[in-house]
Amino acid sequence: MEKKLLDLLNSYSDRMGEIVWENGLLRRNGYGHTREVANLSVVHAGTDSSIAYVYGKVTGAIDEKLGIQILKGISSLQVTDSNNERFGAFRWYREESHPIDTNAAFFIMVPLAILKLFSQQSLSVSESIIIDDMLTSAYNWFSKECKNPILFYTN
């Protein structure tokens, strides 16, 4: 591994103790970027949680118990009702009532998919199953988006 990547991973591992997890999602002091959470003083972003989870798994800073809690927190942001037009999409923040910035699915799932592809050994069977379930549902959302692409940034 390149020295810069190792330094980044070590720095992250050193800071894991500073991260506050609340009900499986990383607590971020400050507002979110969508209208519904723009005035809040604290948010819980699935995107931040996904990235922190991946770094934590790669560095060994997140064990199976915490990993399952985080993945359940992230999966709680996903639309799982197959009758919903946004089935497979994700809310960006726990504090949102529905998916507003639907790019959340991409920014949540890409780190998890990369972890699954390149560091499967860092996952327990239970963690792997939760990620697979999210990927399966996200497939529906990504397929729909690819069939009807919006070729500009919608926000």
Side-chain angles (χ1 to χ4, degrees):
M1 228 182 267
E2 283 187 39
K3 183 179 178 344
K4 287 182 181 182
L5 179 57
L6 285 173
D7 289 345
L8 174 66
L9 292 174
N10 289 331
S11 171
Y12 179 82
S13 186
D14 291 345
R15 297 190 63 211
M16 274 304 283
E18 299 171 25
I19 292 176
V20 177
W21 296 101
E22 295 178 345
N23 296 317
L25 293 173
L26 188 147
R27 174 191 170 112
R28 184 197 314 159
N29 294 325
Y31 57 88
H33 78 284
T34 63
R35 182 175 299 185
E36 192 171 356
V37 297
N39 295 317
L40 299 180
S41 59
V42 172
V43 293
H44 299 84
T47 53
D48 295 347
S49 300
S50 177
I51 292 167
Y53 170 78
V54 169
Y55 278 124
K57 291 306 290 186
V58 169
T59 62
I62 292 178
D63 64 14
E64 179 182 11
K65 182 179 177 187
L66 178 56
I68 290 170
Q69 290 173 354
I70 294 167
L71 291 172
K72 285 181 176 180
I74 294 169
S75 69
S76 74
L77 303 177
Q78 190 171 35
V79 177
T80 56
D81 176 2
S82 61
N83 294 317
N84 188 305
E85 69 177 342
R86 294 198 170 174
F87 173 52
F90 285 80
R91 289 177 287 147
W92 198 287
Y93 304 98
R94 178 172 49 217
E95 292 76 15
E96 292 174 324
S97 59
H98 63 281
I100 297 167
D101 181 346
T102 57
N103 291 316
F106 177 83
F107 290 109
I108 289 171
M109 292 313 304
V110 165
L112 297 176
I114 291 170
L115 178 67
K116 186 119 170 77
L117 287 170
F118 294 103
S119 190
Q120 177 71 35
Q121 71 279 5
S122 67
L123 299 171
S124 69
V125 171
S126 297
E127 289 169 297
S128 189
I129 289 169
I130 296 169
I131 292 172
D132 286 345
D133 289 346
M134 284 190 283
L135 284 166
T136 300
S137 294
Y139 171 80
N140 292 289
W141 175 249
F142 292 130
S143 294
K144 180 181 174 189
E145 289 295 286
C146 289
K147 288 176 187 170
N148 301 297
I150 298 170
L151 302 177
F152 55 90
Y153 194 67
T154 58
N155 293 344

